Amino acid sequence: MNRKIGVVDSGLGGLLVLEALQKVHPQAHYIYIGDQEHAPYGDCSKEELLHYGLRMMQYLYQRQVQEVVIACNTLCANVLHELRNAYPQMHIYDIIETTCCQLKQTEKQRILVLATHATVQKQAYQKTLKKICSAEIIELACPKLVPMIEENSSQEQVQKVLQEYLQPYIGSVDAIILGCTHYPILKNYIKNIIDVDIFDSNEAIAHQFSFYKSDTENQLEIYTTKDAMHMHEQIKKVLKKDYPVSKLQLD
Ligand code: DGL
């Protein structure tokens, strides 16, 4: 069976999810879209997010993709229902629920969730985690991080900004959730400031993926809605990978 899997995000972050998926499920044809034209998503309204999400879904539907990982917490927190309703034929994975499931019945007492403004506003992690564990949940919006990652800011700048965000929580939380797919790129810096268990979405979503036999050859298409050459360079610098990137014009 020809297995096509779509992975969408606002930019580079979702590529880490894609890489985790490829490790567990190499026999698939992956189509990745980074909607860099509209990034960062974290400051967008629900209406904008729905519009952007629907455009990407429409493209994947036309390409006969059966399964889609919305590798973007901001989209999941705000418009997952609407996207599922618009495309009931496709299996759309919820990255927030999957990430939270790693903390089922955890004994952690105080969990800090780092996410975008739009995810924090919806209290998406708070609501999901309350159902599965009794820890106190603190959600912190970190709007400066995604632009810094996309622009490949210097180590010093990143450390300074992270220090500002995290300083108030040193010694008072016992776990951190990276509630934005861009943030695992900064995992080591975060760990250096607060040395607690850090949870992200990458392996979680890859393992949650349904298993079925596929004879598809491993294929990878990476698209950006902005500038292909620029994204190619960004991936080289930030992720140290040399993936071909094409520009995608969406209606
Ligand atoms: N990486 C996305 C997320 O997980 C969106 C980040 C952004 O564009 O602000 O929320």
Side-chain angles (χ1 to χ4, degrees):
M1 179 173 186
N2 186 16
R3 187 177 194 185
K4 274 191 191 155
I5 300 172
V7 181
V8 302
D9 188 28
S10 62
L12 300 180
L15 284 167
L16 297 178
V17 174
L18 177 94
E19 289 182 341
L21 282 167
Q22 278 186 310
K23 268 193 213 140
V24 182
H25 306 283
Q27 301 290 100
H29 178 169
Y30 290 95
I31 302 179
Y32 183 87
I33 308 176
D35 188 13
Q36 293 185 308
E37 191 188 354
H38 302 111
Y41 274 5
D43 303 323
C44 292
S45 67
K46 181 174 170 138
E47 290 68 35
E48 288 168 327
L49 291 169
L50 183 57
H51 179 60
Y52 305 151
L54 286 172
R55 278 162 33 118
M56 294 191 281
M57 289 299 299
Q58 176 62 16
Y59 174 76
L60 294 174
Y61 177 71
Q62 283 164 356
R63 295 286 314 273
Q64 290 164 335
V65 170
Q66 299 97 352
E67 295 168 280
V68 180
V69 178
I70 309 280
C72 174
N73 293 261
T74 308
L75 279 181
C76 282
N78 287 275
V79 296
L80 182 71
H81 271 311
E82 290 82 351
L83 296 180
R84 281 181 171 162
N85 284 342
Y87 291 93
Q89 329 67 347
M90 294 158 93
H91 189 129
I92 304 181
Y93 289 81
D94 177 0
I95 204 154
I96 295 182
E97 198 183 349
T98 307
T99 307
C100 290
C101 276
Q102 298 173 99
L103 286 129
K104 227 174 200 162
Q105 285 154 6
T106 181
E107 288 177 4
K108 304 284 182 202
Q109 309 267 304
R110 224 165 163 245
I111 302 173
L112 177 64
V113 181
L114 308 178
T116 67
H117 255 318
T119 300
V120 170
Q121 259 172 14
K122 294 299 278 189
Q123 296 186 306
Y125 274 89
Q126 179 89 252
K127 286 178 192 156
T128 308
L129 285 165
K130 281 284 169 223
K131 290 186 216 147
I132 63 170
C133 72
S134 58
E136 182 188 343
I137 313 298
I138 305 151
E139 291 170 290
L140 177 68
C142 307
K144 292 184 186 166
L145 297 184
V146 169
M148 292 187 90
I149 293 165
E150 292 277 326
E151 286 155 23
N152 194 30
S153 296
S154 73
Q155 200 167 317
E156 291 71 31
Q157 282 171 302
V158 170
Q159 275 165 335
K160 186 169 169 284
V161 167
L162 278 174
Q163 191 74 37
E164 282 165 19
Y165 281 134
L166 298 177
Q167 185 72 37
Y169 305 99
I170 295 175
S172 69
V173 295
D174 53 5
I176 292 178
I177 295 180
L178 305 181
C180 169
T181 42
H182 280 69
Y183 299 171
I185 293 170
L186 308 178
K187 199 168 183 169
N188 291 340
Y189 297 122
I190 295 169
K191 185 101 181 149
N192 279 342
I193 300 173
I194 303 189
D195 188 11
V196 293
D197 289 337
I198 299 183
F199 298 86
D200 65 38
S201 320
N202 301 344
E203 264 86 57
I205 195 85
H207 288 287
Q208 196 248 359
F209 231 63
S210 58
F211 282 81
Y212 58 77
K213 276 201 178 355
S214 152
D215 51 16
T216 315
E217 267 185 50
N218 188 6
Q219 273 188 66
L220 177 60
E221 296 175 46
I222 299 180
Y223 295 104
T224 175
T225 53
K226 206 172 174 186
D227 181 336
M229 253 166 47
H230 182 64
M231 189 186 196
H232 179 250
E233 284 308 307
Q234 280 177 304
I235 297 173
K236 265 198 187 152
K237 282 191 195 130
V238 180
L239 303 178
K240 318 276 178 252
K241 296 281 161 58
D242 193 2
Y243 294 134
V245 180
S246 307
K247 160 112 185 187
L248 183 64
Q249 191 71 48
L250 294 173
D251 304 328

